[in-house]
């Protein structure tokens, strides 16, 4: 059961799935699910863009990747002689061995520097977060360009160039033709993906309450057993630096995005962690309804799902504790 289920009581199944699809399709970071052999089961537009894959090269939410010339469930056929994208090829054998070994050992990787081998033969410096389930043969990978700047920021050239290629897609048409069984299956798949993703995520409502989050987010905040201490609460209290909140708000208003922004997150016990923020606005019929936000650990050893012990920064005496 998703940890945020009470937030969605009374919402139609297709409306709930639409939110999950929006989070996947319109994220400004790359997200993909693969098998242990590197076959890509699902990749979002940002992931396909950073990899140089064509939109049809990896299954979208309505389809399942196939390795033959058969049609996907969305009805798109692929010639039998056309090779599908490989996450193993994208990352290289050495990194792939790291990813699969970590998944077998039951922990995640964070901020792994890698030169992605794009479809056209070029390479691009990127950062990788990954985890997986060996029993199910599933790997969850998140990639983002190795930006030198941030948006907002004094040196935002590379982040702004990335953002200019981003667009928010209306996901409603992706639900067209899906029967009840398909809606249920896709909802379960995306719920599992986001609950177990190796990077913290949260969805904020227009009124600044947390609408959705995931397990790693609750773990590093310190409320894995009490999700309602965060879910349904005002989000802004976890940001420890007021100037950062002002900058983030202005960037979302002007650019509809935040990319690679360094800030300080306050855990529920008052301890602080440096993290990087990626976020984008969610709109419906041209109206702002919330945000989709992903956080990255500046120091991989701070991640509670990594191989090293979790540590947190002490709170300066001048900073108040988190208001519960």
């Amino acid at each position: 059961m998703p940890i945020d289920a009470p937030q969605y009581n009374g919402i139609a199944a297709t409306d709930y799935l639409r939110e999950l699809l929006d989070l996947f399709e319109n994220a400004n970071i790359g997200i993909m699910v693969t098998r242990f052999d590197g076959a890509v089961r699902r990749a979002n537009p940002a992931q396909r863009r950073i990899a140089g894959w064509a939109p049809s090269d990896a299954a979208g939410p309505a389809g399942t990747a196939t390795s033959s010339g058969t049609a996907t469930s969305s009805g798109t056929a692929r010639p039998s002689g056309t090779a599908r994208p490989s996450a193993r090829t994208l990352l290289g054998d050495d990194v792939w061995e790291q990813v699969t070994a970590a998944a077998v050992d039951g922990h995640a990787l964070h901020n792994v520097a890698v030169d992605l081998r794009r479809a056209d033969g070029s390479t691009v410096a990127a950062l990788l977060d990954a985890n997986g389930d060996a029993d199910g043969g599933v790997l969850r990978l998140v990639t983002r360009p190795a930006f030198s700047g941030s948006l907002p920021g004094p040196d935002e050239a590379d982040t702004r160039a990335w953002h200019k290629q981003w667009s928010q897609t209306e996901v409603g048409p992706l639900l067209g033709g899906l029967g009840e069984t398909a809606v249920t299956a896709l909802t379960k798949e995306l719920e599992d993906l986001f609950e177990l993703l190796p990077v913290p995520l949260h969805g904020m409502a227009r009124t600044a309450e947390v609408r959705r989050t995931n397990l790693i987010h609750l773990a590093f905040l310190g409320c894995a057993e009490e999700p309602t201490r965060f879910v349904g609460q005002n989000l802004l209290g976890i940001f420890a630096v007021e100037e950062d909140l002002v900058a983030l708000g202005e960037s979302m208003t002007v650019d509809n995005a935040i990319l690679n922004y360094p800030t300080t997150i306050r855990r529920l016990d008052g301890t602080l962690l440096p993290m990087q923020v990626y976020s984008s606005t969610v709109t419906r019929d041209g109206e702002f309804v919330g945000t989709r936000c992903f956080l990255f650990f500046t120091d991989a050893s701070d991640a509670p799902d990594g191989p090293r012990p979790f540590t947190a920064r002490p709170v300066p005496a001048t900073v108040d504790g988190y208001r519960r």
Side-chain angles (χ1 to χ4, degrees), residues 36 39 67 73 98 115 138 167 232 242:
F36 268 63
S67 58
S73 61
Q98 283 183 263
D115 288 326
V138 171
S167 62
E242 185 175 352

Side-chain angles (χ1 to χ4, degrees), residues 5-320:
Q7 301 289 329
Y8 294 91
N9 287 342
I11 292 181
T14 52
D15 290 338
Y16 178 57
L17 178 55
R18 184 178 285 107
E19 288 200 19
L20 293 171
L21 286 172
D22 176 85
L23 188 60
F24 181 80
E25 287 289 298
N26 292 319
N28 54 13
I29 58 170
I31 303 172
M32 64 176 158
V33 182
T34 79
R35 299 199 306 244
F36 268 63
D37 63 1
V40 178
R41 292 178 50 179
R42 192 171 301 287
N44 73 346
Q47 178 60 58
R48 296 196 293 266
R49 174 151 53 97
I50 194 174
W53 297 333
S56 61
D57 278 347
T64 301
T66 61
S67 58
S68 67
T70 59
T72 67
S73 61
S74 60
T76 301
R78 167 174 294 278
S80 59
T82 304
R84 296 208 62 92
S86 166
R88 179 169 188 155
T89 300
L90 180 69
L91 299 178
D93 287 341
D94 290 345
V95 175
W96 192 252
E97 288 180 11
Q98 283 183 263
V99 169
T100 54
V104 169
D105 289 343
H107 66 258
L109 298 176
H110 296 282
N111 295 343
V112 177
V114 60
D115 288 326
L116 298 180
R117 303 169 185 182
R118 305 181 79 244
D120 63 2
S122 64
T123 61
V124 59
L127 294 173
L128 169 74
D129 292 69
N131 67 10
D133 299 321
D135 290 345
V138 171
L139 295 168
R140 294 170 288 268
L141 300 99
V142 175
T143 60
R144 54 201 159 108
F147 295 121
S148 59
S150 66
L151 180 66
D155 181 12
E156 58 184 37
D158 54 356
T159 52
R160 187 165 292 280
W162 171 259
H163 175 57
K164 284 182 177 179
Q165 299 175 66
W166 175 84
S167 62
Q168 182 170 239
T169 301
E170 171 51 51
V171 298
L174 297 176
L175 295 169
L178 292 184
E180 182 178 351
T181 299
V183 167
T184 300
L186 184 53
T187 297
K188 173 61 174 170
E189 180 182 345
L190 292 177
E191 279 182 344
D192 288 347
L193 168 61
F194 291 127
E195 287 295 295
L196 300 173
L197 204 68
V199 296
L201 68 89
H202 58 255
M204 186 191 78
R206 177 169 42 195
T207 49
E209 283 81 24
V210 178
R211 187 165 175 80
R212 165 177 296 283
T213 188
N214 67 350
L215 294 178
I216 188 173
H217 205 318
L218 296 179
F220 92 82
L221 285 179
C223 59
E225 304 302 321
E226 302 174 274
T228 55
R229 290 178 62 195
F230 183 57
V231 180
Q233 306 301 315
N234 189 290
L235 169 70
L236 304 182
I238 70 170
F239 290 90
V241 181
E242 185 175 352
E243 291 82 358
D244 287 354
L245 271 178
V246 173
L248 295 173
E250 290 178 350
S251 186
M252 291 297 278
T253 301
V254 175
D255 293 307
N256 300 321
I258 299 163
L259 289 163
N260 200 42
Y261 187 82
T263 191
T264 302
I265 299 297
R266 183 185 290 123
R267 300 177 72 232
L268 299 193
D269 64 1
T271 52
L272 304 179
L273 288 179
M275 302 191 82
Q276 313 293 123
V277 181
Y278 288 68
S279 189
S280 53
T281 57
V282 181
T283 60
R284 297 283 188 274
D285 299 322
E287 295 291 327
F288 170 78
V289 298
T291 66
R292 56 185 87 75
C293 184
F294 299 83
L295 301 177
F296 292 85
F297 297 98
T298 301
D299 185 339
S301 66
D302 285 330
D305 58 354
R308 289 171 285 182
F310 174 69
T311 58
R313 305 289 189 268
V315 182
T318 56
V319 177
D320 293 334

